[in-house]
Amino acid sequence: MTDEKQIYNFWENTGLFKANIKSSKKTFSLLIPPPNLTGELHIGHAMQHSVLDAIARFRRLQGFDVLLLPGVDHAGIAFENTFDKELKKQNLSKEKLGREKWLEAAWQFKENIYNSVSQSWRFMGLSADWSQEVFSLDEKRKTAVFHQFKKYYDDGLIYKGPYIVQWCPKCNTAIEDLEMEYEEKKEKLYYVRYQVKGQGSKVKGQNFIEIATTRPETIFADTAVAFYRNHPKFKKFVGQKVINPLTKNAIPVIEDKRVEKDFGTGALKITPAHDILDYQIGKDHKLEILHAVNKEGRLTDITGEFCGQKIDEAKEKVVEKLRTLGALSKEEDYIHSVAVCERCKTTIEPLISEEWFVRVEKLAKGAIDVIKKDKIKFLPSNYAKILTDWLNNIHDWCISRSLWWGHRIPVWYPSTREVHPERGRRARSGSSDMKVSLDPPGPDWKQDEQVLDTWFSSGLWPLSTLGWPDKTKEFDRYFPWDFEISAPEIKYLWIARMVMISNYFTGKKPFKTMFFHGTLRDLEGRKFSKSLGNGIEPQYLIDKWGTDATRMALYTYSIPGRDGRVSKETLDERGKNFRNFATKLRNIARFVLELKPPGASHSRPDRESDSHFRGNDKEAVEKVIMPKDDQWIMGKLAKTTKTVTKHLENLELHLASEEIYEFIWHKFADDYIEASKSRRPEAQSTLENILKQTLILLHPFMPFLTEELYQKFEDKQKSILLEKWPSATNA
RNA sequence: GGACCCGUAGCUCAGUUGGUUAGAGCGUUACAUUGACAUUGUAGAGGUCAGAGGUUCGAGUCCUCUCGGGUCCACCA
């Protein structure tokens, strides 16, 4: 049994990865962060899986009933984009298929990806309980998500309405602030004059207000001009009106402290429909809301001749028009960061849309309490503060997405009502003509068109994976989770949500320990990404150096919160190093177990050799029976065992793996084995004893090799997984 | 603007509560090796631990500042 696949199948088929609900052992539960249903395993996943698996295997050997629960996330936007691209290749589209057929095809497509994701996990040796595998869109999760929605709804935490949201015109849905990123872009800053009404003919004194803008195409929807209170330059215009240079509408001049005094010209055009700040100012000043840009990123009919044009092409033409009107005083080059969609890098258009929201204040407050009182152990520890700070400044959560792939919003309307195609339904939460239900309330009801934000279901993951809201035995036994791991970039999107949601529904923390691993970057410190093409496939390393060596290489970078700079070369270096280590260990085993000298005593059962150091007068027994070399190596092993155990318990995998590596190569092989050659027959039982113990200590990190070598012992359990972790005191 | 992290050998990084000559891998130098293992062994070179100041009997480790690199959040008219 040398092939990794073969070993993995042996473990899985023997049921060694399964948690045992009936066991009387203490439990240890680990929740695998569900990878997105989009593609291959990347190096970050490989790191997470290596860490999770080492801890799971360590606890299993220690005698815990371990649950390592696998699952996959449907990943709304990400999957939908991937699938739509696939459809395009087949000359199909959403429009051609319609929702029902599209979903049917999507579920088929899902199967293929799903299998590849699942397969990748097995390559890393992940000892997950596959009998409990979940998918975030399966039936049980559907029920759980519905319960979540219903409870929020009943508790008055859910509301719906037209609000300004971050809109991605390409994904064609609202997204959250957290799903945006910023890109430096070189644009133009245009200085535009708004004539003061009724003073147009005066030559003396300033009769216009000049504003600076990067978005002249939205001037059509300007409904005010504002400046900071008591601004010396503009104070005199308060209460007057200015003329919108494009629409010729008279719009008010207002004061608001949210306008920065020294930014631009000091005056700001207010476009409530297309800017978050403007929206808030407009709301407080009861300004009219006009739309100049629609959800496709095209200009609307209020822009007259520009109607239907895309923003970029319209912008220049609008500028030209302003120029001919004499309203453009100057333009400057301007570099600033622009919000883009993190998925498709399209510029975000803030606009007003009918969406669903969750009031999160109460949830956040509970989460802060849990972090403070219930003491979730964060690694690194400063993440408790980072998360608390965010929770203290939290905004309401927009949970609706205009997609088809996801949990459909469980709200139904009588189908007699016409629906505005752009705006959606106008029903308000609490109105009598809508019902919250998983299934249709009757024959003439139509379901809300939108789906829930993927993180709405992900946030429920610690509960829904254990069968919640049913009162399951699994939930009672394995919740809260002992261990969770995550990349730092989803600490708000996912981790904070899990804490809020778990606390809201159970009053408990979702996990006892939260481990944030660092990010692996290239040698210049950049993140790995598809667009940069700097990614390193874990599969490349696995093929070249083996799974065990790849895992060992990753443990050296698994320190919480520490980023690592790597390249193909540096990872190859480490891969090679640990592949060499694997060879070394293989040779040790060959020497100890296969190349016994003719006079060597037969391998003695462990219990017998153990008794050498378990006598009542331990020291005396050792002195009489154990030669000095044996005493020395046994002492070193005891120390190593203690240290490795301590590091594993502290989740310092980089130290634990280094410690056992050091012992095996430089103590056991270089010193003890070399010295044992002159007294081989006498040393044989110690050689075997040490080898077996080290295999167990190394197993969490290099599972395949240690199982393979363990099988060479005459006296053994069925699998090394059934062995006991050596105790530090009598090793 | 707010918060946080990092700066240790040529490169990538360790260094647990402050405590003897600061470590690893790769690279590098010399030598050895028909031996369990050349995917090896032995020995070595290589560091004013970014800089300055402070606390201490003692600082890579704690405090302050400076310089350099990075991350997250907010904002970007």
Side-chain angles (χ1 to χ4, degrees):
Chain A
M1 193 159 61
T2 53
D3 181 51
E4 290 181 354
K5 220 172 223 166
Q6 204 184 340
I7 294 174
Y8 194 92
N9 289 340
F10 159 69
W11 285 329
E12 199 181 340
N13 297 337
T14 319
L16 291 166
F17 298 160
K18 280 191 182 170
N20 183 359
I21 191 84
K22 288 174 190 157
S23 163
S24 58
K25 294 174 177 176
K26 278 192 194 164
T27 62
F28 197 92
S29 51
L30 309 93
L31 186 55
I32 301 173
N36 281 350
L37 184 62
T38 46
E40 306 300 310
L41 185 80
H42 62 65
I43 203 97
H45 287 124
M47 163 97 85
Q48 287 184 344
H49 293 163
S50 302
V51 171
L52 280 162
D53 193 55
I55 298 164
R57 286 174 187 268
F58 165 60
R59 293 299 182 182
R60 230 176 249 124
L61 287 166
Q62 271 196 325
F64 287 84
D65 170 35
V66 170
L67 172 61
L68 178 59
L69 192 143
V72 176
D73 195 279
H74 65 280
I77 298 184
F79 175 87
E80 196 153 322
N81 284 348
T82 311
F83 180 53
D84 278 341
K85 259 181 218 159
E86 192 63 30
L87 282 179
K88 210 171 178 186
K89 283 185 205 160
Q90 302 171 34
N91 211 10
L92 289 168
S93 68
K94 275 203 176 80
E95 291 73 29
K96 283 183 188 166
L97 289 171
R99 188 161 188 155
E100 210 167 298
K101 281 198 173 152
W102 184 93
L103 275 170
E104 219 170 274
W107 274 96
Q108 275 172 21
F109 185 64
K110 172 247 165 193
E111 283 304 319
N112 303 334
I113 304 185
Y114 198 96
N115 291 337
S116 114
V117 170
S118 223
Q119 207 49 43
S120 304
W121 281 349
R122 286 172 161 87
F123 274 125
M124 287 311 292
L126 198 74
S127 58
D129 185 347
W130 297 103
S131 69
Q132 304 211 34
E133 184 173 5
V134 292
F135 178 53
S136 67
L137 222 48
D138 63 23
E139 284 306 313
K140 276 200 169 169
R141 265 36 71 180
K142 233 168 129 179
T143 314
V145 166
F146 168 70
H147 261 81
Q148 182 183 198
F149 187 95
K150 179 85 163 60
K151 170 82 173 146
Y152 292 154
Y153 186 84
D154 291 344
D155 292 353
L157 298 185
I158 283 193
Y159 62 96
K160 181 197 189 186
Y163 291 91
I164 193 148
V165 290
Q166 312 287 6
W167 188 270
C168 173
K170 192 169 174 202
C171 300
N172 203 21
T173 179
I175 61 170
E176 281 190 277
D177 296 7
L178 292 170
E179 293 168 299
M180 310 191 310
E181 49 190 41
Y182 289 89
E183 273 179 16
E184 291 259 294
K185 282 194 181 167
K186 194 178 159 187
E187 296 196 324
K188 294 258 191 227
L189 189 60
Y190 302 97
Y191 289 79
V192 182
R193 289 174 180 179
Y194 289 58
Q195 291 294 329
V196 177
K197 197 184 175 190
Q199 296 185 3
S201 55
K202 279 192 187 170
V203 184
K204 257 190 180 179
Q206 192 187 20
N207 63 346
F208 58 85
I209 294 177
E210 191 174 73
I211 58 95
T213 182
T214 53
R215 307 218 41 200
E217 73 280 8
T218 65
I219 287 177
F220 295 100
D222 287 357
T223 48
V225 168
F227 48 83
Y228 191 82
R229 280 204 195 122
N230 290 319
H231 195 291
K233 218 158 92 190
F234 304 117
K235 206 168 145 184
K236 56 185 172 180
F237 297 121
V238 181
Q240 303 201 50
K241 292 206 166 182
V242 291
I243 306 296
N244 182 320
L246 291 173
T247 63
K248 303 301 176 195
N249 291 335
I251 57 177
V253 177
I254 58 174
E255 287 180 300
D256 196 288
K257 64 176 175 188
R258 283 165 288 192
V259 182
E260 277 197 42
K261 215 189 303 186
D262 303 317
F263 207 109
T265 64
L268 174 65
K269 75 189 199 63
I270 303 296
T271 323
H274 300 297
D275 183 278
I276 309 274
L277 177 65
D278 293 7
Y279 177 80
Q280 287 156 356
I281 292 176
K283 201 169 146 194
D284 293 347
H285 292 268
K286 301 194 168 57
L287 298 175
E288 190 188 356
I289 296 174
L290 298 174
H291 299 263
V293 175
N294 69 11
K295 287 181 173 176
E296 280 81 49
R298 293 175 186 275
L299 272 63
T300 65
D301 49 6
I302 70 161
T303 67
E305 64 198 273
F306 304 102
C307 178
Q309 294 184 14
K310 282 198 163 179
I311 292 169
D312 284 342
E313 54 177 303
K315 186 174 282 190
E316 277 179 43
K317 292 178 191 164
V318 171
V319 169
E320 191 50 45
K321 180 157 186 185
L322 286 168
R323 201 175 281 130
T324 47
L325 288 170
L328 188 75
S329 57
K330 62 171 173 173
E331 53 190 283
E332 298 177 336
D333 283 340
Y334 186 59
I335 296 169
H336 68 149
S337 44
V338 176
V340 296
C341 172
E342 71 172 359
R343 297 270 168 221
C344 66
K345 314 298 175 196
T346 306
T347 302
I348 294 300
E349 294 299 325
L351 50 77
I352 290 165
S353 178
E354 184 96 1
E355 305 287 343
W356 292 87
F357 298 85
V358 175
R359 282 189 187 89
V360 286
E361 216 186 306
K362 202 170 155 192
L363 282 109
K365 232 178 175 177
I368 294 166
D369 278 358
V370 150
I371 292 172
K372 212 183 271 173
K373 287 181 198 152
D374 217 2
K375 295 208 170 130
I376 296 173
K377 181 177 179 183
F378 286 100
L379 294 172
S381 57
N382 62 338
Y383 272 71
K385 185 182 178 308
I386 293 175
L387 288 176
T388 306
D389 287 349
W390 183 77
L391 287 163
N392 272 320
N393 284 302
I394 198 164
H395 301 296
D396 280 359
W397 178 10
C398 175
I399 52 167
S400 49
R401 298 288 181 273
S402 306
L403 305 172
W404 287 352
W405 185 246
H407 291 276
R408 197 151 165 184
I409 291 186
V411 169
W412 302 77
Y413 311 92
S415 60
T416 45
R417 283 185 69 183
E418 265 309 304
V419 184
H420 192 286
E422 273 281 314
R423 295 279 195 80
R425 292 170 193 271
R426 281 243 149 221
R428 298 250 159 206
S429 76
S431 70
S432 58
D433 61 351
M434 72 186 228
K435 283 192 174 156
V436 177
S437 162
L438 197 49
D439 303 310
D444 291 326
W445 294 76
K446 273 199 167 172
Q447 189 166 9
D448 196 289
E449 293 292 324
Q450 295 188 303
V451 300
L452 290 161
D453 176 15
T454 303
W455 298 105
F456 191 85
S457 54
S458 310
L460 194 64
W461 202 239
L463 308 186
S464 62
T465 47
L466 293 172
W468 184 92
D470 293 343
K471 292 197 187 311
T472 64
K473 284 179 196 161
E474 284 80 8
F475 187 86
D476 288 343
R477 186 165 164 81
Y478 299 110
F479 186 90
W481 296 85
D482 287 285
F483 183 84
E484 181 58 297
I485 186 169
S486 170
E489 57 262 34
I490 50 175
K491 56 186 177 293
Y492 304 133
L493 283 166
W494 192 42
I495 307 303
R497 256 69 176 272
M498 288 195 285
V499 179
M500 289 195 283
I501 294 169
S502 290
N503 176 61
Y504 192 75
F505 288 99
T506 70
K508 287 183 187 166
K509 58 189 168 188
F511 30 70
K512 295 172 190 164
T513 296
M514 180 64 227
F515 184 112
F516 287 103
H517 65 252
T519 307
L520 287 183
R521 303 170 175 280
D522 68 11
L523 290 180
E524 283 149 64
R526 298 174 305 182
K527 275 187 190 176
F528 291 122
S529 71
K530 270 187 192 163
S531 52
L532 280 173
N534 58 355
I536 300 164
E537 298 275 321
Q539 197 56 50
Y540 160 83
L541 293 166
I542 290 170
D543 290 344
K544 200 160 174 185
W545 310 112
T547 304
D548 284 335
T550 302
R551 287 169 61 129
M552 286 295 274
L554 291 173
Y555 292 127
T556 64
Y557 291 103
S558 72
I559 304 164
R562 292 276 178 100
D563 291 356
R565 294 192 173 196
V566 298
S567 63
K568 217 168 202 171
E569 288 70 30
T570 63
L571 283 172
D572 270 341
E573 224 171 59
R574 276 169 207 251
K576 186 174 145 197
N577 173 222
F578 290 113
R579 190 276 320 265
N580 291 355
F581 175 61
T583 306
K584 185 80 187 178
L585 186 56
R586 198 169 265 124
N587 275 299
I588 290 172
R590 197 156 80 94
F591 176 79
V592 172
L593 298 173
E594 290 171 19
L595 303 174
K596 291 179 206 175
S601 60
H602 194 279
S603 156
R604 278 180 288 184
D606 254 11
R607 265 176 225 101
E608 199 184 312
S609 61
D610 269 5
S611 68
H612 286 236
F613 347 105
R614 275 188 186 158
N616 285 338
D617 193 350
K618 197 173 150 196
E619 220 172 292
V621 171
E622 277 177 5
K623 267 184 194 158
V624 176
I625 298 180
M626 284 185 90
K628 253 191 176 162
D629 283 359
D630 293 0
Q631 278 176 43
W632 176 83
I633 193 70
M634 291 310 287
K636 290 287 178 202
L637 176 64
K639 200 181 157 209
T640 300
T641 302
K642 202 174 158 187
T643 312
V644 171
T645 308
K646 185 187 83 185
H647 288 320
L648 271 167
E649 275 168 351
N650 293 341
L651 302 166
E652 295 166 318
L653 305 196
H654 63 297
L655 297 177
S657 54
E658 193 189 326
E659 187 76 20
I660 184 64
Y661 165 96
E662 163 72 20
F663 174 82
I664 290 173
W665 201 325
H666 301 301
K667 300 263 175 15
F668 188 38
D670 290 348
D671 296 343
Y672 183 77
I673 291 183
E674 283 307 317
S676 77
K677 285 176 181 169
S678 59
R679 45 180 282 272
R680 182 66 196 272
E682 183 188 67
Q684 184 61 24
S685 83
T686 304
L687 282 169
E688 289 186 28
N689 185 20
I690 301 271
L691 176 61
K692 196 189 265 183
Q693 303 298 315
T694 53
L695 289 180
I696 299 170
L697 291 174
L698 183 63
H699 181 258
F701 310 102
M702 301 184 89
F704 291 107
L705 175 66
T706 48
E707 178 73 272
E708 174 196 327
L709 300 180
Y710 177 81
Q711 293 295 335
K712 294 186 196 291
F713 278 89
E714 290 168 26
D715 175 56
K716 61 176 177 67
Q717 306 286 322
K718 188 165 187 192
S719 160
I720 192 169
L721 278 166
L722 297 167
E723 276 289 344
K724 275 206 179 94
W725 188 257
S727 94
T729 47
N730 62 8

